[in-house]
Amino acid sequence: HGIEESKRAAAVQAVRENFPPDPRFVGIGSGTTIVYVVEAINALEQDVSRVCFVPTGHQSRQLILDAGLKAVQFDSIPEEAVLDICFDGADEVDEDLNCIKGGGACLFQEKLVAMRSKKFICVADQRKLQSRLLTSWPSIPIEVAPIAARQVLVRLRELGSPSPHLREGHTPNGSPLKTDQDFFIIDAPFPRLLTSSDRKSTSTSTSTTPRHNAGVSNNGADNDSRSEGRGKDGI
Ligand code: DER
């Protein structure tokens, strides 16, 4: 398969095997693979005209509308409602199904929608699967409030990132990229992460994770041991 064929095959299988019979709310992520997910949803036998599709950013909303599907903003969903399922892509996945996300700078809303979904389906072709994270995707994307950016850069260097940096925008004046929330993205390179089997094989692991992960949601990017999810005081 070519890359596009692989993406399409992964998307068709993911939709066929997971799309619920009569969902009310379905989350739609960002990137290029998700385009094939929406195409596969539209090709389903079942009627999806009454399904509310929840976007995870401007691109995702446009994709839903262009497919003739109903888009409902995250903050318009009834308070007590949860999403039946959400589909999204990833930049890298390891064998424990940990993902690096954020290559498309939509990770904030993607995680917001994923956390409110009964089921999260990550659609990734074979190029994304690595034995450990940070093998093919070199850095951890982190969304930060502009006012906190300098402090987070300092903390990331203390966590062992050699060169954390603001992601460049596309404007000629070279200003940093702004997300749909008008925040910045910091890309923090780290050496390849240890897998759970690596850690089992080392009898004692001396964690370099500082006692207090002030202000950093590093998604377990510390090198000696995966912190479960966000740092204690993650932003
Ligand atoms: O930003 C993200 O996490 C996305 O899901 C994205 O990077 C996946 O992109 P792709 O489907 O174009 O590889």
Side-chain angles (χ1 to χ4, degrees):
H1 281 315
I3 291 178
E4 295 310 310
E5 277 318 301
S6 299
K7 289 180 183 179
R8 175 181 275 115
V12 167
Q13 184 179 345
V15 169
R16 279 200 188 136
E17 290 178 3
N18 297 284
F19 199 82
D22 184 23
R24 195 174 162 214
F25 296 104
V26 174
I28 297 294
S30 70
T32 57
T33 307
I34 201 73
V35 174
Y36 298 111
V37 168
V38 172
E39 190 182 270
I41 290 171
N42 250 343
L44 287 170
E45 295 293 307
Q46 70 196 77
D47 173 16
V48 293
S49 59
R50 288 179 309 110
V51 177
C52 298
F53 290 90
V54 184
T56 52
H58 179 77
Q59 179 228 349
S60 164
R61 175 173 168 73
Q62 209 48 56
L63 176 61
I64 293 167
L65 295 175
D66 291 350
L69 299 172
K70 187 161 71 171
V72 172
Q73 289 293 96
F74 182 81
D75 54 358
S76 305
I77 302 173
E79 275 173 23
E80 74 291 344
V82 293
L83 282 73
D84 301 82
I85 194 167
C86 77
F87 294 88
D88 200 349
D91 301 302
E92 195 175 59
V93 183
D94 72 11
E95 280 136 12
D96 299 329
L97 295 187
N98 297 297
C99 303
I100 292 182
K101 287 190 59 54
C106 298
L107 70 169
F108 180 84
Q109 291 192 37
E110 288 171 341
K111 291 180 181 183
L112 204 56
V113 166
M115 282 166 55
R116 194 171 171 185
S117 301
K118 289 177 199 160
K119 198 172 186 184
F120 173 72
I121 303 293
C122 176
V123 186
D125 61 85
Q126 73 281 1
R127 293 171 304 146
K128 311 290 182 71
L129 182 61
Q130 299 291 343
S131 60
R132 59 186 74 183
L133 293 182
L134 294 160
T135 297
S136 61
W137 195 270
S139 52
I140 302 281
I142 298 160
E143 180 155 351
V144 290
I147 195 164
R150 283 170 57 85
Q151 165 68 6
V152 173
L153 286 165
V154 168
R155 296 293 289 133
L156 285 166
R157 278 191 283 273
E158 288 170 358
L159 277 170
S161 177
S163 54
H165 53 278
L166 290 179
R167 189 176 298 179
E168 293 267 309
H170 309 298
T171 51
N173 66 1
S175 57
L177 174 139
K178 285 288 191 75
T179 67
D180 289 327
Q181 290 66 244
D182 253 351
F183 273 24
F184 289 157
I185 295 282
I186 289 176
D187 288 303
F190 280 95
R192 292 190 313 169
L193 287 185
L194 291 178
T195 61
S196 45
S197 48
D198 289 330
R199 282 199 302 282
K200 283 190 194 100
S201 61
T202 51
S203 50
T204 55
S205 72
T206 49
S207 165
T208 58
T209 308
R211 273 179 314 99
H212 183 65
N213 279 347
V216 175
S217 166
N218 64 12
N219 295 325
D222 53 306
N223 308 324
D224 285 56
S225 65
R226 288 190 60 73
S227 60
E228 291 311 308
R230 284 175 287 287
K232 279 203 306 302
D233 305 320
I235 300 172

